[in-house]
Amino acid sequence: MRQFRVEASQEALDDLRARLTATRWPAETPDVGWSRGVPQAYLRELAEYWHSGFDWRAVEARVNEFPQFVTTIDGTDIHFLHVRSPEPGAVPLLLTHGWPGSFLEFLDVLGPLTDPRAHGGDPGDAFHVVVPSLPGFGFSSPLTQHGWSIPRVANVWSELMASLGYDRYIPQGSDLGAFVTILLGVLDSDHVVGTHVNFLFTPPPDDASEIGELDQSDLDRLSQMASSADDGSGYMKLQATRPQTLGYGLTDSPVGQLAWIIEKFQEWTDSDKTPEDAIDRDRLLANVTLYWLTGTAGSSAHFYYDNAELLPVSASPPEPLPRVPGPVGVAVYPHDIVRPVRRFAERSLPDIVHWNELDRGGHFAAMEEPELFVDDLRMFRRTLRAR
Protein backbone atom coordinates (compact mmCIF):
# COMPACT_ATOMS: atom_id res chain seq x y z
CA MET A 1 0.00 0.00 0.00
CA ARG A 2 1.23 3.45 -0.91
CA GLN A 3 0.12 6.68 0.70
CA PHE A 4 -1.69 8.99 -1.70
CA ARG A 5 -2.47 12.70 -1.98
CA VAL A 6 -4.68 14.49 -4.48
CA GLU A 7 -2.51 16.95 -6.39
CA ALA A 8 -3.68 17.98 -9.86
CA SER A 9 -1.09 19.71 -11.99
CA GLN A 10 -1.60 23.39 -12.69
CA GLU A 11 -1.29 22.54 -16.38
CA ALA A 12 -4.36 20.29 -16.12
CA LEU A 13 -6.39 23.00 -14.39
CA ASP A 14 -5.32 25.62 -16.93
CA ASP A 15 -6.30 23.25 -19.75
CA LEU A 16 -9.74 22.79 -18.19
CA ARG A 17 -10.30 26.55 -18.07
CA ALA A 18 -9.09 26.98 -21.64
CA ARG A 19 -11.47 24.29 -22.88
CA LEU A 20 -14.37 25.87 -20.98
CA THR A 21 -13.58 29.21 -22.63
CA ALA A 22 -13.53 27.59 -26.08
CA THR A 23 -16.82 25.71 -25.68
CA ARG A 24 -18.93 25.40 -28.85
CA TRP A 25 -22.55 25.77 -27.79
CA PRO A 26 -25.47 24.33 -29.79
CA ALA A 27 -28.27 26.50 -31.10
CA GLU A 28 -30.74 27.75 -28.54
CA THR A 29 -33.99 25.81 -28.27
CA PRO A 30 -37.36 26.89 -26.86
CA ASP A 31 -37.59 26.80 -23.09
CA VAL A 32 -38.72 23.26 -22.28
CA GLY A 33 -37.18 23.03 -18.83
CA TRP A 34 -35.36 19.74 -18.21
CA SER A 35 -37.67 17.62 -20.37
CA ARG A 36 -35.12 17.34 -23.21
CA GLY A 37 -31.98 17.46 -21.10
CA VAL A 38 -30.04 20.16 -19.28
CA PRO A 39 -31.35 23.67 -20.11
CA GLN A 40 -28.68 25.67 -21.90
CA ALA A 41 -29.10 28.85 -19.86
CA TYR A 42 -28.51 26.92 -16.64
CA LEU A 43 -25.56 25.00 -18.07
CA ARG A 44 -23.90 28.16 -19.39
CA GLU A 45 -24.14 29.80 -15.98
CA LEU A 46 -22.83 26.71 -14.20
CA ALA A 47 -19.96 26.34 -16.69
CA GLU A 48 -18.99 29.97 -16.13
CA TYR A 49 -18.86 29.38 -12.39
CA TRP A 50 -16.78 26.25 -12.99
CA HIS A 51 -14.38 28.41 -15.01
CA SER A 52 -14.14 31.45 -12.76
CA GLY A 53 -15.53 30.66 -9.31
CA PHE A 54 -14.92 27.01 -8.46
CA ASP A 55 -11.78 26.19 -6.43
CA TRP A 56 -10.42 22.69 -7.01
CA ARG A 57 -7.48 23.39 -4.71
CA ALA A 58 -9.93 23.77 -1.82
CA VAL A 59 -11.33 20.33 -2.66
CA GLU A 60 -7.83 18.88 -2.68
CA ALA A 61 -7.08 20.40 0.72
CA ARG A 62 -10.22 18.92 2.23
CA VAL A 63 -9.70 15.46 0.76
CA ASN A 64 -6.07 15.42 1.84
CA GLU A 65 -7.15 15.83 5.46
CA PHE A 66 -8.11 12.14 5.35
CA PRO A 67 -5.68 9.22 5.07
CA GLN A 68 -5.61 7.92 1.49
CA PHE A 69 -3.86 4.98 -0.08
CA VAL A 70 -3.43 3.13 -3.35
CA THR A 71 -2.95 -0.63 -3.46
CA THR A 72 -2.72 -3.08 -6.34
CA ILE A 73 -5.21 -5.97 -6.28
CA ASP A 74 -6.06 -8.28 -9.18
CA GLY A 75 -3.77 -6.35 -11.48
CA THR A 76 -5.21 -2.86 -11.01
CA ASP A 77 -4.62 0.09 -8.70
CA ILE A 78 -7.36 0.75 -6.15
CA HIS A 79 -7.57 4.13 -4.44
CA PHE A 80 -9.28 4.31 -1.06
CA LEU A 81 -9.79 6.43 2.03
CA HIS A 82 -9.15 4.69 5.33
CA VAL A 83 -10.31 6.64 8.38
CA ARG A 84 -9.93 4.81 11.67
CA SER A 85 -12.04 5.66 14.69
CA PRO A 86 -10.49 6.60 18.05
CA GLU A 87 -13.07 4.35 19.74
CA PRO A 88 -11.81 0.85 20.68
CA GLY A 89 -15.13 -0.82 19.88
CA ALA A 90 -15.53 0.63 16.39
CA VAL A 91 -16.87 -1.67 13.66
CA PRO A 92 -15.30 -1.63 10.16
CA LEU A 93 -17.61 -0.13 7.53
CA LEU A 94 -17.00 -0.35 3.77
CA LEU A 95 -18.75 2.34 1.69
CA THR A 96 -19.09 1.84 -2.08
CA HIS A 97 -20.26 4.54 -4.49
CA GLY A 98 -21.79 4.19 -7.95
CA TRP A 99 -22.11 6.27 -11.12
CA PRO A 100 -21.95 9.22 -11.55
CA GLY A 101 -20.80 9.47 -7.96
CA SER A 102 -17.39 8.98 -6.39
CA PHE A 103 -15.64 8.67 -3.05
CA LEU A 104 -16.29 12.42 -2.66
CA GLU A 105 -19.91 11.61 -1.81
CA PHE A 106 -18.89 10.52 1.68
CA LEU A 107 -16.70 13.39 2.90
CA ASP A 108 -19.46 14.91 5.05
CA VAL A 109 -20.19 11.65 6.90
CA LEU A 110 -16.64 10.49 7.69
CA GLY A 111 -16.35 12.55 10.87
CA PRO A 112 -19.71 11.57 12.44
CA LEU A 113 -19.26 7.92 11.48
CA THR A 114 -15.73 7.54 12.83
CA ASP A 115 -15.91 9.86 15.84
CA PRO A 116 -19.53 10.18 17.05
CA ARG A 117 -18.32 11.39 20.46
CA ALA A 118 -16.90 14.53 18.83
CA HIS A 119 -20.15 15.09 16.91
CA GLY A 120 -22.60 14.80 19.80
CA GLY A 121 -23.29 11.10 19.34
CA ASP A 122 -22.86 7.84 21.20
CA PRO A 123 -19.26 6.53 21.03
CA GLY A 124 -20.75 3.03 20.90
CA ASP A 125 -21.89 3.81 17.33
CA ALA A 126 -18.37 4.34 15.98
CA PHE A 127 -17.07 2.86 12.72
CA HIS A 128 -13.68 2.46 11.08
CA VAL A 129 -14.49 3.62 7.53
CA VAL A 130 -12.99 2.41 4.24
CA VAL A 131 -14.08 4.16 1.01
CA PRO A 132 -12.61 2.66 -2.17
CA SER A 133 -13.10 3.99 -5.69
CA LEU A 134 -14.53 1.48 -8.14
CA PRO A 135 -12.06 0.21 -10.76
CA GLY A 136 -11.94 2.71 -13.62
CA PHE A 137 -13.41 5.51 -11.46
CA GLY A 138 -11.52 8.44 -9.98
CA PHE A 139 -8.01 7.60 -8.88
CA SER A 140 -8.58 3.84 -9.29
CA SER A 141 -7.50 4.33 -12.87
CA PRO A 142 -6.63 3.87 -15.61
CA LEU A 143 -7.83 0.37 -16.35
CA THR A 144 -5.64 -1.75 -18.61
CA GLN A 145 -8.27 -4.45 -19.20
CA HIS A 146 -12.01 -4.94 -19.34
CA GLY A 147 -14.05 -7.65 -17.66
CA TRP A 148 -14.57 -5.88 -14.34
CA SER A 149 -17.72 -7.69 -13.31
CA ILE A 150 -19.43 -6.84 -10.05
CA PRO A 151 -18.49 -10.23 -8.50
CA ARG A 152 -14.86 -9.52 -9.42
CA VAL A 153 -15.03 -6.15 -7.66
CA ALA A 154 -16.64 -7.80 -4.62
CA ASN A 155 -13.73 -10.23 -4.41
CA VAL A 156 -11.26 -7.33 -4.62
CA TRP A 157 -13.11 -5.51 -1.83
CA SER A 158 -12.96 -8.67 0.28
CA GLU A 159 -9.21 -8.88 -0.26
CA LEU A 160 -8.83 -5.18 0.54
CA MET A 161 -10.63 -5.50 3.88
CA ALA A 162 -8.59 -8.58 4.79
CA SER A 163 -5.36 -6.77 3.92
CA LEU A 164 -6.37 -3.97 6.30
CA GLY A 165 -6.75 -6.52 9.09
CA TYR A 166 -10.55 -6.47 9.26
CA ASP A 167 -11.95 -9.95 9.89
CA ARG A 168 -15.57 -8.77 10.32
CA TYR A 169 -17.14 -5.76 8.64
CA ILE A 170 -20.33 -4.14 7.32
CA PRO A 171 -20.48 -3.33 3.59
CA GLN A 172 -22.76 -0.50 2.50
CA GLY A 173 -23.53 0.76 -1.00
CA SER A 174 -25.77 2.63 -3.37
CA ASP A 175 -26.28 2.56 -7.14
CA LEU A 176 -23.67 0.19 -8.66
CA GLY A 177 -22.15 0.04 -5.20
CA ALA A 178 -25.33 -1.59 -3.91
CA PHE A 179 -24.82 -4.50 -6.33
CA VAL A 180 -21.21 -4.86 -5.13
CA THR A 181 -22.39 -4.74 -1.52
CA ILE A 182 -25.03 -7.44 -2.00
CA LEU A 183 -22.48 -9.69 -3.72
CA LEU A 184 -20.14 -9.18 -0.76
CA GLY A 185 -22.89 -10.42 1.53
CA VAL A 186 -22.90 -13.61 -0.53
CA LEU A 187 -19.27 -14.15 -1.54
CA ASP A 188 -17.71 -13.05 1.76
CA SER A 189 -20.49 -14.09 4.12
CA ASP A 190 -18.03 -15.54 6.64
CA HIS A 191 -16.70 -12.03 7.27
CA VAL A 192 -19.73 -9.80 6.63
CA VAL A 193 -21.59 -8.89 9.84
CA GLY A 194 -24.52 -7.41 7.94
CA THR A 195 -25.22 -5.90 4.52
CA HIS A 196 -26.70 -2.43 4.07
CA VAL A 197 -27.91 -0.69 0.89
CA ASN A 198 -29.70 2.55 0.14
CA PHE A 199 -30.62 1.58 -3.42
CA LEU A 200 -32.42 -1.61 -4.38
CA PHE A 201 -33.96 -2.57 -7.72
CA THR A 202 -36.88 -5.00 -7.32
CA PRO A 203 -38.42 -5.81 -10.72
CA PRO A 204 -41.91 -7.34 -10.75
CA PRO A 205 -42.21 -11.13 -10.93
CA ASP A 206 -43.50 -13.03 -13.94
CA ASP A 207 -46.57 -14.11 -11.98
CA ALA A 208 -49.10 -11.31 -12.52
CA SER A 209 -51.20 -12.51 -9.58
CA GLU A 210 -48.53 -11.23 -7.20
CA ILE A 211 -48.92 -7.74 -8.62
CA GLY A 212 -52.65 -7.89 -7.98
CA GLU A 213 -51.94 -8.41 -4.29
CA LEU A 214 -49.97 -5.17 -3.92
CA ASP A 215 -51.31 -2.10 -2.17
CA GLN A 216 -51.40 1.31 -3.86
CA SER A 217 -48.03 2.39 -2.45
CA ASP A 218 -46.26 -0.60 -4.00
CA LEU A 219 -48.16 -0.20 -7.26
CA ASP A 220 -46.89 3.38 -7.40
CA ARG A 221 -43.36 2.04 -7.00
CA LEU A 222 -43.81 -0.32 -9.93
CA SER A 223 -45.15 2.57 -11.97
CA GLN A 224 -42.07 4.61 -11.06
CA MET A 225 -39.82 1.73 -12.19
CA ALA A 226 -41.62 1.54 -15.52
CA SER A 227 -41.39 5.29 -16.03
CA SER A 228 -37.68 5.26 -15.22
CA ALA A 229 -37.09 2.45 -17.72
CA ASP A 230 -39.02 4.27 -20.46
CA ASP A 231 -37.76 7.82 -20.01
CA GLY A 232 -34.69 7.76 -17.78
CA SER A 233 -32.56 4.83 -18.85
CA GLY A 234 -30.98 6.18 -22.04
CA TYR A 235 -27.68 6.90 -20.30
CA MET A 236 -27.54 3.30 -19.03
CA LYS A 237 -28.28 1.73 -22.39
CA LEU A 238 -25.65 3.86 -24.09
CA GLN A 239 -22.96 3.15 -21.48
CA ALA A 240 -23.82 -0.55 -21.49
CA THR A 241 -23.60 -0.86 -25.28
CA ARG A 242 -21.32 1.86 -26.73
CA PRO A 243 -19.03 3.09 -23.91
CA GLN A 244 -16.03 3.57 -26.19
CA THR A 245 -17.87 5.94 -28.53
CA LEU A 246 -19.32 7.92 -25.63
CA GLY A 247 -15.93 8.27 -23.99
CA TYR A 248 -14.43 10.29 -26.83
CA GLY A 249 -16.84 13.20 -26.50
CA LEU A 250 -16.95 13.28 -22.70
CA THR A 251 -13.16 13.08 -22.38
CA ASP A 252 -12.65 15.91 -24.86
CA SER A 253 -15.35 18.35 -23.76
CA PRO A 254 -15.67 19.47 -20.13
CA VAL A 255 -19.12 20.96 -20.79
CA GLY A 256 -20.17 17.65 -22.31
CA GLN A 257 -18.94 15.85 -19.19
CA LEU A 258 -20.66 18.44 -16.99
CA ALA A 259 -24.02 18.05 -18.74
CA TRP A 260 -23.83 14.23 -18.77
CA ILE A 261 -23.38 14.11 -14.99
CA ILE A 262 -25.36 17.13 -13.81
CA GLU A 263 -28.52 15.88 -15.52
CA LYS A 264 -28.52 12.83 -13.24
CA PHE A 265 -28.04 14.92 -10.12
CA GLN A 266 -31.12 16.89 -11.11
CA GLU A 267 -33.26 13.83 -11.89
CA TRP A 268 -32.19 11.62 -9.01
CA THR A 269 -32.10 14.04 -6.07
CA ASP A 270 -34.67 15.63 -3.82
CA SER A 271 -34.52 18.84 -5.87
CA ASP A 272 -37.07 21.21 -7.32
CA LYS A 273 -35.69 23.25 -10.22
CA THR A 274 -31.95 22.53 -10.19
CA PRO A 275 -29.72 19.95 -8.48
CA GLU A 276 -28.40 22.74 -6.29
CA ASP A 277 -31.72 22.61 -4.43
CA ALA A 278 -30.38 19.34 -2.98
CA ILE A 279 -26.57 19.55 -3.15
CA ASP A 280 -24.22 22.50 -2.88
CA ARG A 281 -22.86 23.72 -6.22
CA ASP A 282 -19.23 23.34 -5.23
CA ARG A 283 -19.79 19.71 -4.21
CA LEU A 284 -21.47 19.00 -7.55
CA LEU A 285 -18.56 20.52 -9.44
CA ALA A 286 -15.99 18.73 -7.29
CA ASN A 287 -17.47 15.41 -8.43
CA VAL A 288 -17.55 16.46 -12.10
CA THR A 289 -14.00 17.80 -11.90
CA LEU A 290 -12.81 14.47 -10.49
CA TYR A 291 -14.18 12.67 -13.54
CA TRP A 292 -12.61 15.29 -15.81
CA LEU A 293 -9.13 15.38 -14.28
CA THR A 294 -8.87 11.58 -14.13
CA GLY A 295 -10.29 11.11 -17.63
CA THR A 296 -12.62 8.38 -16.40
CA ALA A 297 -15.77 9.12 -18.42
CA GLY A 298 -15.01 6.22 -20.73
CA SER A 299 -13.69 3.71 -18.22
CA SER A 300 -16.62 4.29 -15.84
CA ALA A 301 -19.00 3.73 -18.77
CA HIS A 302 -17.24 0.45 -19.62
CA PHE A 303 -18.20 -0.74 -16.13
CA TYR A 304 -21.82 -0.76 -17.36
CA TYR A 305 -20.85 -2.79 -20.42
CA ASP A 306 -19.06 -5.35 -18.25
CA ASN A 307 -22.16 -5.74 -16.04
CA ALA A 308 -24.99 -5.39 -18.54
CA GLU A 309 -26.53 -8.74 -17.56
CA LEU A 310 -27.36 -7.34 -14.09
CA LEU A 311 -28.89 -4.11 -15.42
CA PRO A 312 -32.31 -3.35 -16.96
CA VAL A 313 -30.87 -2.41 -20.37
CA SER A 314 -32.66 -4.84 -22.69
CA ALA A 315 -36.09 -6.34 -23.30
CA SER A 316 -35.18 -9.37 -21.19
CA PRO A 317 -35.14 -8.89 -17.40
CA PRO A 318 -31.77 -8.68 -15.65
CA GLU A 319 -30.38 -11.69 -13.88
CA PRO A 320 -31.85 -12.02 -10.37
CA LEU A 321 -29.58 -11.19 -7.48
CA PRO A 322 -28.30 -14.12 -5.42
CA ARG A 323 -29.79 -14.81 -2.01
CA VAL A 324 -27.89 -13.06 0.77
CA PRO A 325 -27.59 -15.46 3.72
CA GLY A 326 -26.97 -12.87 6.43
CA PRO A 327 -28.88 -9.91 7.89
CA VAL A 328 -29.66 -7.01 5.57
CA GLY A 329 -30.60 -3.37 6.08
CA VAL A 330 -32.37 -1.24 3.47
CA ALA A 331 -32.79 2.52 3.53
CA VAL A 332 -35.41 3.90 1.13
CA TYR A 333 -35.10 7.56 0.20
CA PRO A 334 -38.30 8.99 -1.36
CA HIS A 335 -36.68 10.75 -4.34
CA ASP A 336 -34.39 7.93 -5.47
CA ILE A 337 -34.44 6.69 -9.09
CA VAL A 338 -36.64 3.79 -8.04
CA ARG A 339 -37.98 2.61 -4.70
CA PRO A 340 -38.03 -1.08 -3.84
CA VAL A 341 -41.06 -3.24 -3.10
CA ARG A 342 -40.29 -5.10 0.11
CA ARG A 343 -42.15 -8.32 -0.69
CA PHE A 344 -40.13 -8.61 -3.93
CA ALA A 345 -36.89 -7.72 -2.13
CA GLU A 346 -37.39 -10.58 0.31
CA ARG A 347 -37.00 -13.12 -2.51
CA SER A 348 -33.24 -12.50 -2.56
CA LEU A 349 -32.90 -10.89 0.86
CA PRO A 350 -34.72 -13.29 3.20
CA ASP A 351 -33.28 -11.82 6.41
CA ILE A 352 -34.15 -8.11 6.22
CA VAL A 353 -33.73 -6.87 9.78
CA HIS A 354 -33.84 -3.13 9.05
CA TRP A 355 -36.13 -1.40 6.53
CA ASN A 356 -36.18 2.38 6.90
CA GLU A 357 -38.52 4.57 4.82
CA LEU A 358 -37.14 8.10 5.10
CA ASP A 359 -39.11 11.29 4.52
CA ARG A 360 -36.58 13.19 2.38
CA GLY A 361 -33.49 12.64 0.26
CA GLY A 362 -32.66 10.96 -3.01
CA HIS A 363 -30.07 8.83 -4.78
CA PHE A 364 -26.96 10.51 -3.38
CA ALA A 365 -28.01 10.16 0.24
CA ALA A 366 -24.67 10.84 1.93
CA MET A 367 -24.36 14.16 0.04
CA GLU A 368 -28.00 15.21 0.24
CA GLU A 369 -28.86 14.17 3.78
CA PRO A 370 -25.65 13.29 5.65
CA GLU A 371 -27.32 13.30 9.07
CA LEU A 372 -30.07 10.92 7.96
CA PHE A 373 -27.49 8.69 6.27
CA VAL A 374 -25.39 8.49 9.45
CA ASP A 375 -28.39 7.94 11.72
CA ASP A 376 -29.69 5.14 9.52
CA LEU A 377 -26.36 3.30 9.58
CA ARG A 378 -26.20 3.67 13.35
CA MET A 379 -29.69 2.19 13.67
CA PHE A 380 -28.68 -0.74 11.49
CA ARG A 381 -25.59 -1.39 13.58
CA ARG A 382 -27.66 -1.31 16.79
CA THR A 383 -30.07 -3.84 15.29
CA LEU A 384 -27.16 -6.14 14.45
CA ARG A 385 -25.74 -5.71 17.92
CA ALA A 386 -29.07 -6.60 19.51
CA ARG A 387 -29.13 -9.85 17.53
Side-chain angles (χ1 to χ4, degrees), residues 151-309:
R152 183 178 178 184
V153 175
N155 283 321
V156 169
W157 274 199
S158 171
E159 185 173 339
L160 172 64
M161 295 302 281
S163 69
L164 294 173
Y166 294 136
D167 183 61
R168 302 281 283 167
Y169 65 96
I170 297 173
Q172 194 284 331
S174 62
D175 194 82
L176 293 170
F179 290 87
V180 175
T181 296
I182 289 171
L183 262 293
L184 273 168
V186 177
L187 300 175
D188 201 26
S189 58
D190 288 344
H191 301 101
V192 169
V193 179
T195 303
H196 184 282
V197 295
N198 59 280
F199 173 79
L200 188 61
F201 181 67
T202 56
D206 295 331
D207 186 353
S209 64
E210 290 191 54
I211 297 176
E213 297 172 0
L214 299 178
D215 61 23
Q216 189 58 49
S217 174
D218 284 339
L219 289 173
D220 289 343
R221 295 182 185 212
L222 289 184
S223 177
Q224 180 191 17
M225 290 180 204
S227 176
S228 177
D230 290 340
D231 183 62
S233 63
Y235 80 96
M236 185 190 304
K237 293 177 180 177
L238 188 54
Q239 295 192 154
T241 58
R242 299 295 185 272
Q244 189 72 26
T245 303
L246 177 66
Y248 296 125
L250 299 186
T251 304
D252 188 61
S253 168
V255 165
Q257 178 71 95
L258 176 64
W260 190 246
I261 289 179
I262 213 71
E263 177 186 272
K264 301 311 165 196
F265 276 88
Q266 194 277 334
E267 292 179 348
W268 299 348
T269 58
D270 189 355
S271 59
D272 182 16
K273 295 181 179 179
T274 72
E276 294 159 66
D277 297 331
I279 301 173
D280 177 79
R281 162 177 293 200
D282 287 290
R283 286 180 170 82
L284 292 170
L285 289 173
N287 188 67
V288 176
T289 305
L290 176 65
Y291 275 81
W292 175 260
L293 291 175
T294 56
T296 48
S299 60
S300 61
H302 277 283
F303 197 85
Y304 278 78
Y305 189 101
D306 289 338
N307 291 284
E309 71 278 0

Side-chain angles (χ1 to χ4, degrees), residues 62-78:
R62 187 175 184 217
V63 172
N64 289 333
E65 293 175 357
F66 302 105
Q68 302 171 75
F69 303 88
V70 171
T71 189
T72 303
I73 304 177
D74 196 4
T76 196
D77 284 347
I78 300 296

Side-chain angles (χ1 to χ4, degrees), residues 29-33 39:
T29 57
D31 183 11
V32 290

Side-chain angles (χ1 to χ4, degrees), residues 89-131:
V91 172
L93 174 68
L94 174 66
L95 302 176
T96 306
H97 67 86
W99 183 91
S102 69
F103 75 94
L104 296 176
E105 290 181 50
F106 303 106
L107 296 185
D108 289 341
V109 301
L110 291 175
L113 286 173
T114 58
D115 194 2
R117 187 192 304 268
H119 292 80
D122 181 352
D125 291 329
F127 296 95
H128 302 304
V129 180
V130 180
V131 188

